[in-house]
Amino acid sequence: MATNRAHFASKLGVIAATAGSAVGLGNIWRFPSEVAGNGGGAFVLIYLCCTLLIGAPIMISEFVIGRHSEANASTAFRKIAPGKPWWFIGLMGILAAFLIMGFYSVVGGWAVEYAWQAVINAFDGKSTIELQQNFELFSTSSYRPLIWIFLFVAFTALVVLAGIKEGIEKYSKILMPILFVLLLFLCIYSLTLPKAGEGLRFLFMPDFSKITSSVILSALGQSFFSLSLGMGCLITYGSYFNKKTNLPKTAVQVIIIDTLVAVLAAVAIFPSVFSFGITDAAGPTLAFISLPAIFNQMFGGYFLAVAFFFLLLVAAITSSISLLEVITAYVTETYKVSRRKATIVISLVIFILAVLSSLSLAKGELTFFGMKFFDILDGFSSKILLPLGGLFIAIFTGWVFNPTHLFQELEKGSQLSFALFRAYLFLVRYIAPLGILLVFLHQLGLFTWIESWVK
Ligand code: TRP
């Protein structure tokens, strides 16, 4: 399929862009909150299993679908299985991208505010309680976050619009390793805190009594969210890969980087949560309270805080551009509108969603079924749409994609052995779909129902 589609220029560009999409607020903000809300070590263990057994094969599948079809998330399925309805997976992905951006931009806006607060030295001298109140006051005020959200969405749009992704990639190749080193620094400092042991125990000692079906679903959802899986994001990126890219190796590298960043963030955060007595109520906002509390105590904390929140912002932007790119690629290629028009209209819709979800935190209004709009967007996308998308993607590659073509595509740039291919096929045909299905059924209470019925 010869096309003149744009491609990533180098091997490092492929990793930088894909890891840039994966590493973001999901690792540093969402992962620690999910760990805290789902009982600690047991969640981490299940998260790792989901990533290895389900996330990895699905990531490879998205790459293969994208590179083989050289098309956007929906057209890709049309090209590989013409005349069949599989393209709806792509449409589900487009919907998921809108919903995710609807709350991701809110947290992105928080990161802008906190970068600013770091610059004006606003954390200095504040007690943990004050930091906590600070954050609550800010995130629940109705208008203050909106301007930052606007900036975040506008900047994301600008990058996608001006096609300066290459520029961003070039910088993120340098900046992301710095973020990594900074996180390492924070971890080392955290380990010297008085209750570091307690924090680590919470994080790494699985308490199996804490495992419930909703913990398992949360871990699965977090794994998809963090790896940018289940909505065609990596299909879109895969379509920009060239034939020399080693797909399995790229997947492994991205997964290792993404997992390391999430674990490092948690190791930085949990010792301080216990040592500074940050309360449970801070759950979803942990990172924005516990990290400033650490910076306050560290030597050179001012500079570290400025650097950290700036880099967090860069990480968030490289993720949000990947989300916006999915929708833009689909709209421009399907409806033949200009990139400019498409990006502006899509970003406006995203901004409106984000305003609504921010306001839902502010007023306690905009709740449906007793849930805040923000939480609905987050929960529905990560716990339903992404795993469902992943389920279909696994079934599609395992059972619909012609295995010979699949092998040939995977083999390009990788010299994949047939044995490894068989192992991959086994995961994608059986383990991943059954795994996701069981988690869904478990959550729906099917097993308890069967149990009670058998008794
Ligand atoms: N993975 C990113 C993060 O951890 C968020 C993200 C970017 C994403 N693209 C995605 C999540 C596609 C799901 C699907 O912050």
Side-chain angles (χ1 to χ4, degrees), residues 49 62 103 136 156 183 252 294 330 345 347 358 435 437 439:
C49 293
E62 288 207 22
F103 73 92
E136 262 146 43
T156 303
L183 271 175
V252 169
I294 303 179
Y330 170 74
V345 173
S347 304
S358 180
L437 214 59
V439 175

Side-chain angles (χ1 to χ4, degrees), residues 84-394:
K84 306 251 172 61
W86 290 98
W87 48 264
F88 78 91
I89 304 176
L91 281 195
M92 239 173 64
I94 306 297
L95 173 67
F98 271 113
L99 302 188
I100 292 173
M101 275 304 276
F103 73 92
Y104 204 82
S105 324
V106 175
V107 186
W110 297 348
V112 184
E113 158 86 10
Y114 267 59
W116 173 244
Q117 289 206 13
V119 169
I120 61 172
N121 206 8
F123 312 133
D124 194 30
K126 292 220 164 66
S127 68
T128 310
I129 302 282
E130 284 170 319
L131 286 171
Q132 210 158 325
Q133 285 167 346
N134 238 11
F135 187 82
E136 262 146 43
L137 215 64
F138 161 68
S139 65
T140 59
S141 92
S142 48
Y143 64 90
R144 251 175 83 198
L146 301 189
I147 177 81
W148 301 124
I149 294 172
F150 181 79
L151 282 182
F152 186 84
V153 177
F155 191 72
T156 303
L158 215 66
V159 175
V160 171
L161 192 83
I164 47 173
K165 288 192 289 293
E166 293 76 25
I168 290 279
E169 265 158 50
K170 207 164 74 199
Y171 288 114
S172 74
K173 264 185 256 179
I174 309 164
L175 294 175
M176 287 304 103
I178 304 181
L179 175 65
F180 196 82
V181 173
L182 228 121
L183 271 175
L184 266 181
F185 247 26
L186 289 179
C187 286
I188 295 170
Y189 178 80
S190 258
L191 293 178
T192 67
L193 289 170
K195 292 195 176 160
E198 236 170 280
L200 292 184
R201 230 169 293 133
F202 178 74
L203 194 53
F204 293 119
M205 292 272 285
D207 172 357
F208 293 103
S209 69
K210 295 251 171 74
I211 300 179
T212 62
S213 65
S214 90
V215 167
I216 302 176
L217 182 60
S218 298
L220 182 71
Q222 173 61 24
S223 177
F224 274 89
F225 187 87
S226 191
L227 297 171
S228 303
L229 289 180
M231 51 147 274
C233 186
L234 300 185
I235 294 179
T236 308
Y237 270 34
S239 75
Y240 304 134
F241 291 177
N242 66 37
K243 299 289 179 195
K244 288 198 204 103
T245 304
N246 185 334
L247 301 182
K249 192 171 156 199
T250 304
V252 169
Q253 285 169 332
V254 170
I255 288 171
I256 291 176
I257 295 171
D258 188 74
T259 309
L260 271 180
V261 174
V263 171
L264 284 182
V267 171
I269 286 175
F270 282 99
S272 73
V273 169
F274 285 89
S275 304
F276 302 146
I278 296 170
T279 53
D280 273 355
T285 55
L286 272 187
F288 289 94
I289 296 162
S290 100
L291 292 172
I294 303 179
F295 292 127
N296 258 348
Q297 294 213 340
M298 277 176 95
F299 176 73
Y302 173 78
F303 297 101
L304 293 180
V306 172
F308 178 83
F309 282 108
F310 170 71
L311 295 170
L312 179 63
L313 204 53
V314 176
I317 296 275
T318 55
S319 299
S320 63
I321 57 179
S322 77
L323 284 156
L324 182 56
E325 177 67 29
V326 176
I327 314 177
T328 307
Y330 170 74
V331 172
T332 49
E333 289 168 20
T334 310
Y335 301 104
K336 308 282 179 260
V337 284
S338 71
R339 205 169 169 85
R340 195 186 157 80
K341 226 193 218 153
T343 312
I344 293 175
V345 173
I346 295 163
S347 304
L348 268 176
V349 176
I350 288 173
F351 181 64
I352 293 169
L353 284 175
V355 168
L356 294 179
S357 62
S358 180
L359 287 178
S360 78
L361 300 178
K363 302 261 193 271
E365 286 166 7
L366 290 163
T367 52
F368 304 90
F369 310 111
M371 273 175 82
K372 297 183 176 117
F373 190 58
F374 181 102
D375 296 325
I376 293 177
L377 291 186
D378 181 342
F380 184 63
S381 52
S382 69
K383 288 185 195 156
I384 297 178
L385 284 180
L386 297 182
L388 205 58
L391 173 67
F392 288 131
I393 289 170

